[in-house]
Amino acid sequence: MALKLEAGTKLVAATHNPGKVPEIAALLEGRFEIITAGQLGLPEPEETESTFVGNALLKARHAADLSGLPALADDSGLSVTALAGAPGIFSARWAGPTKDFAMAMKKVEERLEETASDDRSAWFTSALAVAWPHGPAVVVEGRVDGSLVFPGRGTRGFGYDPIFIPEGHDTTFGEMEPTAKDAMSHRARAFAKLKAALFD
Ligand code: ITT
């Protein structure tokens, strides 16, 4: 039997990042009954894998096994060409325990200055995994390319959005309407693949 997620299914959004929840909800278009890992009081697993795909699977499996419900997890991050792909899977960790993204963006700027490179190209990756309790899992990946701007601009979105301008645009993700970001983001591109694989 092919794996499918039927409309109306109760689905755990296996994230503790409040910035991701509205994006995940918008991309799912009200198709499922979403409960967040936070609402269920699920503990946050340690992200021990070395790839976005590995960590997305780890988070989805952890939430599915503990809740007894299918779970969807996102593992994502910003990769900077001149920094050999950093911060990458360490994007959340660069913000430290207080999740200070002003500091994380400053760190990206300083590291770039240290390289003396004028290459400001970067990309966001999102790996999305759906896992069934003690069962199978599916994982997909989406990417959006762009360039970095300092200082950051805009107060929308979350994380590194103020410093990222997607290719073909003049505004940062932090300045864009949420619907504009959701039409082109790494997360939206991963979602398109997930829909094709799992939705009716
Ligand atoms: P969960 O694991 O609980 O989902 P997290 O914030 O720890 O939350 P990640 O490990 O996937 O999630 O870290 C991804 C980080 O990459 C995230 O904290 C953001 O700083 C950054 N990031 C990912 N997607 C982004 C986006 O669309 N816009 C801006 N920054 C983003």
Side-chain angles (χ1 to χ4, degrees):
M1 196 187 77
L3 284 170
K4 287 283 171 201
L5 270 177
E6 279 173 32
T9 301
K10 229 181 197 184
L11 184 66
V12 179
T15 177
H16 289 81
N17 181 331
K20 288 181 184 175
V21 176
E23 290 191 14
I24 290 174
L27 291 163
L28 289 172
E29 299 160 348
R31 190 185 287 260
F32 306 106
E33 195 186 321
I34 302 292
I35 318 162
T36 66
Q39 285 167 336
L40 289 173
L42 299 180
E44 210 172 334
E46 206 188 325
E47 296 182 19
T48 50
E49 295 291 327
S50 57
T51 61
F52 293 112
V53 160
N55 281 326
L57 279 170
L58 176 153
K59 289 190 268 189
R61 287 199 171 113
H62 175 84
D65 292 351
L66 285 176
S67 67
L69 295 168
L72 168 76
D74 164 284
D75 198 65
S76 46
L78 176 74
S79 299
V80 181
T81 309
L83 301 182
I89 62 161
F90 301 105
S91 294
R93 283 164 267 188
W94 275 31
T98 60
K99 309 200 173 174
D100 181 348
F101 281 97
M103 180 189 81
M105 290 187 280
K106 190 85 201 140
K107 193 164 164 182
V108 172
E109 185 179 11
E110 286 168 1
R111 292 280 171 93
L112 267 172
E113 279 164 8
E114 282 163 22
T115 66
S117 166
D118 57 9
D119 183 354
R120 292 290 176 269
S121 64
W123 68 96
F124 273 121
T125 302
S126 163
L128 290 174
V130 172
W132 280 261
H134 306 286
V138 172
V139 64
V140 294
E141 204 174 69
R143 164 177 172 155
V144 61
D145 287 278
S147 58
L148 300 181
V149 64
F150 300 99
R153 304 192 314 237
T155 53
R156 292 184 158 121
F158 65 98
Y160 298 87
D161 279 340
I163 58 170
F164 185 82
I165 300 177
E167 224 167 59
H169 295 263
D170 302 318
T171 51
T172 68
F173 271 171
E175 293 173 306
M176 280 184 190
E177 293 286 341
T179 47
K181 180 183 173 189
D182 289 347
M184 72 178 87
S185 75
H186 47 312
R187 197 160 289 108
R189 289 177 179 169
F191 256 99
K193 294 185 189 172
L194 201 67
K195 280 183 190 172
L198 286 184
F199 299 1
D200 292 326

